[in-house]
Amino acid sequence: MKTDAVRGHLDGLLLAVLEPGPLHGYAIIAAVQNRSGGVLELRTGTIYPALNRLERVGLLSSSWESAGERRRRCYELTEEGRRTLAGERTAWDEFTTAIGSVLNPPTPPGLPT
């Protein structure tokens, strides 16, 4: 899927995959890819700036975790992040309903389907 199709929805995607609990960057990428059935493939150059921005505005918090000799930053939702995710879901439902109504209008009564 084109990167442009994800633009504008990246924050919601990141917040949604972090809803169950903390994840590090590569696990976030894998979760998005897995949940989308392999259709969405995010790049590290896309998600890390977004994660940093979401942390700066208080929607995420992060901490360092050791995995063997490696250290990696894990991100998790804040309470504000959970509220924002709920709003993103509502906005997405409204958007997809509106687009669906235009692309697939109901058949007027009396017309063949």
Side-chain angles (χ1 to χ4, degrees), residues 27-63:
I28 293 168
I29 291 170
V32 169
Q33 189 171 13
N34 185 39
R35 284 191 184 189
S36 71
V39 174
L40 300 176
E41 293 184 27
L42 301 179
R43 300 181 191 280
T44 57
T46 300
I47 71 149
Y48 284 111
L51 292 169
N52 290 332
R53 180 177 42 76
L54 292 171
E55 185 174 19
R56 273 195 317 274
V57 298
L59 303 182
L60 299 179
S61 62
S62 69
S63 59

Side-chain angles (χ1 to χ4, degrees), residues 5 8-9 85-98:
H9 303 288
L85 176 57
E88 289 280 337
R89 285 185 169 132
T90 299
W92 176 254
D93 288 343
E94 291 170 355
F95 176 76
T96 57
T97 298

Side-chain angles (χ1 to χ4, degrees), residues 15 18-21 54-55 57-62 75-89:
L15 295 174
L18 288 166
E19 185 177 30
L54 292 171
E55 185 174 19
V57 298
L59 303 182
L60 299 179
S61 62
S62 69
Y75 298 87
E76 64 182 314
L77 290 180
T78 61
E79 284 306 313
E80 183 62 27
R82 290 184 190 287
R83 286 189 291 276
T84 299
L85 176 57
E88 289 280 337
R89 285 185 169 132

